[in-house]
Amino acid sequence: MEKKSRFWRWMMPLITLTAVTSAAVSMSGCAPLLIGAAATTGVVVATDRRMTGAVLDDATMSTTLVYKINEKYGDKVHVSVTSYNGIILLTGEVPDQETLEGVAQMAAKEDRVRAVQNELLIGPLSELSSRANDSFITSKVKTRFIDSDFSPTHVKVVTERGIVYLMGLVKKAEGDQATEIARRTSGVVRVVRIFEYND
């Protein structure tokens, strides 16, 4: 019973906001794609500890940086960009040190970036099967967060080569619990914490 109440405690704001947004979009008839993007952002903001502006900035930074990296390096690299509260996490593979430094410099030049956590690896690009496995690990960690004492929406989970990166604005106890849950999830090689503590 307690597990169910925890689940609904963090799900209800998402369901309510999604329902309201869906109704608004239905009434507008032919809504532009921008409304869909705003709706998604609205759901995130409803349970996010970041300021609304920070959520939008993070989304913009990630999208812009991915575009710039792809434009410059193309399929020579596999770089994932995650931005949370102005901290950019770079994961993936690049062919050499020069490219690694180049990508990091591009990230550092982004507007409103506060820090860059460069976890890029120099080596061959990961195979699709490896990336699929990383996605599976991420989903397992997130699912296990549902039974925790904190809202799963407060912790961002990124997995690369079996290494789980945890980001978010959390209390120390929440960060410790999230780390322990991730460590005990099958398939996880290591856990890297990139938390900011708010207590």
Side-chain angles (χ1 to χ4, degrees), residues 25-93:
V25 171
S26 302
M27 287 186 286
S28 67
C30 203
L33 290 176
L34 189 58
I35 290 180
T40 304
T41 304
V43 171
V44 172
V45 171
T47 57
D48 205 302
R49 285 175 172 162
R50 292 172 291 179
M51 299 294 286
T52 304
V55 175
L56 296 173
D57 286 345
D58 285 334
T60 302
M61 274 195 286
S62 296
T63 304
T64 303
L65 189 52
V66 166
Y67 176 78
K68 289 178 180 177
I69 291 169
N70 287 337
E71 189 175 43
K72 183 168 183 178
Y73 298 106
D75 58 6
K76 294 179 183 177
V77 301
H78 162 238
V79 177
S80 296
V81 178
T82 308
S83 180
Y84 195 98
N85 206 35
I87 299 174
I88 292 178
L89 168 66
L90 300 173
T91 55
E93 303 83 31

Side-chain angles (χ1 to χ4, degrees), residues 16-29 35 39:
T16 303
L17 189 56
T18 302
V20 170
T21 306
S22 298
V25 171
S26 302
M27 287 186 286
S28 67
I35 290 180

